[in-house]
Amino acid sequence: MASLLRATATWGLIPWRGYCSRQGKLSKDFVEALKAVVGNSHVSTAAAVLQQHGHDESVHRCQPPDAVVWPQNVEHVSRLAALCYSQSVPIIPFGTGTGLEGGVCAVQGGVCINLTHMDRILALNAEDFSVVVEPGVTRKALNIYLRDSGLWFPVDPGADASLCGMAATAASGTNAVRYGTIRDNVLNLEVVLPGGQLLHTAGQGRHFRKSAAGYNLTGLFVGSEGTLGLITAATLRLHPAPEATVAAICAFPSVQAAVDTTIHILQAAVPVARIEFLDEVMIDACNRHSNLNCTVAPTLFLEFHGSEQALAEQLQRAEEITKCNGALHFSWAKEAEKRNQLWAARHNAWYAALALRPGCKGYSTDVCVPISRLPEILVQTKEDLQASGLTGAMVGHVGDGNFHCILVVDPEDAEELHRAETFAHQLGRRALALHGTCTGEHGIGLGKRQLLQEEVGTVGIEIMRQLKATLDPRGLMNPGKVL
C-alpha cells in the first residue's frame, strides 16, 4: 500500500497493473490505499452503495462504480485523484445524483468520488455580491444561509442540486430569463485536475465582476460534466433579494397562443423573472400530484420581481398581452403560501409526469432554440408527441427558448425505448435545423454525443478532443461522457 501512495506523485509512469482483479474489481490493496487517504468509514464497496451511485434520475441503466469514497476536504480530493490516476483507475465525480443524462454512470467502473461531505460555505462577500461554496452545498442550503443578508442565488433547476454539480452540468432553470444561467453566475472555480494538481480558474481568491485576462478557464470547466476535473469550490455571483414578488397563472386555448404570449411579453420588455410553459397533459398531471385545481389547458406560470409600484405595472401589461392572445383567464397571487404552492408544483413536474405510469422511468428531451423559432418547434413537437403513441408531457423555460418533453417509458420494453430515443433524436435534429442546441441545461452525458458532433461540427469536436487529451491524457475523468 505504501508503494501505491508514493506512486501518486509520479502518475505519468507505467501504471500499477494490479489495481483490478480478473473480475474487474478493485484490488484489496487499492481499496486500502483509498482508506489511507480518507479513513475507513469514508470508503465503501457495499453493493447497495455502489448501485446507489451508479445512476441518476435518467432512463440510463445503472452502471455502478467499484468503490465510493467521501473526501472531507480538497486535500483529500487531490490525493484521491492522484492515486487513481497513477493506477489508471477511472474517476467519477458525484454530487446529489439529480442529473438527467447518465452523467454519474460508471461505464468503465472505477472510483466514484462523492463530494457531499464537503458542504461548507467558505466566504460571503456581501458588498461584492459573491459567495464561495464547497461542492456539497445545495442551492436551497445556500439561500437559507443568505436569508438575512438581503441577497439570494436565483439559479433554480428545480431539484435541490449541489451548486458545483450545477456548474459542472451548466444548469439553468426557471429564473434564467431574468438572472441568467449558472454559466452567467460563476465567477471562479477551484478544480482538482486528474493528476491531483489544484487550479483556480480565475486566480486564487479572485471574485471580480469582469476580466479580460487570458483565456476563460472558468467557462471551460462550466459544463464540462466532470470530464476535465473535479470542482471543489465555486465562487458565485449573488443578487439582491426582490422587494416584492407576484406569481401569476394563465391558461390558453392552444399551445400556439401560449407561446405567442411568451414572445410578446419579452418583446414588450416586461421584466418577467419566470415564464414557464406546461401543456395540458402536464397541467393535468400536476393537478393530481400537487393537489392543484388549474384549468386543464396549455398554461403559463409567471413570476414578477420588483417594487410594489413596478409589479402593478408589470402585471397590468402582462395581463393585457395575454388577453390579446385569447387567454382563458389570468390570475395572480402575492401571498407566499400560494406562490410556493404553484412553484412547488412546477418543480415537481418530473415526478408528476412519472406518476402517469407508476413503475416506469422518465426520458427527458432538452432542446433550446432561438425565441423566434419557439412557436414552430413547440407546435410541431406537440403533434409528433401525440402521433408517437408515447406517454409524455411538455414543459419548459420558454422565456429562454428551452423546453422539455418528459417521456414516461418502460425501460424493459426495448421497442418503446427505441421509439422514445428516435423521438428524442428527431427533436434534437429539428432544434439544430432551427439554429438551436440539442441541450439547453441538462448536458450531453451519455445520450447526446452524436447530436453534439452534429451541432458543433468536425473541427469543434476535434478541438474538444484536444482539450480533453491535454487535461486528461489517459481519459480517466468520467469516461464515456460528452465525447
Side-chain angles (χ1 to χ4, degrees), residues 174-196:
T174 57
N175 287 309
V177 65
R178 178 159 181 174
Y179 298 99
T181 70
I182 191 78
R183 193 178 293 279
D184 304 304
N185 288 279
V186 175
L187 303 175
N188 200 350
L189 293 172
E190 178 186 81
V191 182
V192 172
L193 298 176

Side-chain angles (χ1 to χ4, degrees), residues 46-61:
V49 174
L50 301 183
Q51 289 288 319
Q52 177 188 353
H53 287 79
H55 66 90
D56 52 17
E57 296 197 23
S58 71
V59 74
H60 295 287
R61 67 181 178 87

Side-chain angles (χ1 to χ4, degrees), residues 193-236:
L193 298 176
Q197 307 99 316
L198 191 62
L199 167 69
H200 295 90
T201 58
Q204 187 168 1
R206 304 195 186 284
H207 52 275
F208 39 68
R209 300 286 289 197
K210 65 179 184 179
S211 170
Y215 299 126
N216 185 355
L217 297 180
T218 303
L220 175 62
F221 283 89
V222 174
S224 60
E225 301 186 38
T227 63
L228 302 179
L230 299 109
I231 299 175
T232 52
T235 304
L236 305 173

Side-chain angles (χ1 to χ4, degrees), residues 141-197:
L142 175 60
N143 279 324
I144 290 172
Y145 177 87
L146 295 171
R147 190 161 44 196
D148 296 326
S149 70
L151 302 171
W152 73 312
F153 185 72
V155 183
D156 177 7
D160 189 21
S162 62
L163 292 160
C164 290
M166 288 166 58
T169 56
S172 181
T174 57
N175 287 309
V177 65
R178 178 159 181 174
Y179 298 99
T181 70
I182 191 78
R183 193 178 293 279
D184 304 304
N185 288 279
V186 175
L187 303 175
N188 200 350
L189 293 172
E190 178 186 81
V191 182
V192 172
L193 298 176
Q197 307 99 316

Side-chain angles (χ1 to χ4, degrees), residues 24-41:
K25 302 296 183 183
L26 299 175
S27 71
K28 182 178 179 180
D29 279 351
F30 189 83
V31 173
E32 290 302 313
L34 295 174
K35 292 178 179 178
V37 175
V38 297
N40 290 355
S41 63

Side-chain angles (χ1 to χ4, degrees), residues 298-379:
T299 298
L300 292 178
F301 288 1
L302 305 97
E303 189 166 276
F304 306 91
H305 297 167
S307 66
E308 296 285 354
Q309 180 180 352
L311 289 183
E313 295 173 354
Q314 292 173 34
L315 280 170
Q316 180 183 357
R317 187 72 182 110
E319 185 171 9
E320 290 171 354
I321 293 171
T322 63
K323 287 180 178 178
C324 290
N325 284 286
L328 303 178
H329 69 78
F330 182 93
S331 59
W332 54 272
K334 288 185 178 181
E335 298 84 359
E337 182 178 356
K338 291 183 179 179
R339 289 190 286 106
N340 291 340
Q341 182 185 26
L342 186 69
W343 291 111
R346 169 61 186 90
H347 288 328
N348 288 324
W350 174 261
Y351 305 104
L354 293 182
L356 294 172
R357 290 182 69 188
C360 291
K361 298 280 285 184
Y363 190 128
S364 180
T365 68
D366 181 39
V367 300
C368 183
V369 298
I371 297 291
S372 64
R373 311 308 294 268
L374 190 59
E376 175 183 350
I377 193 170
L378 265 174
V379 171

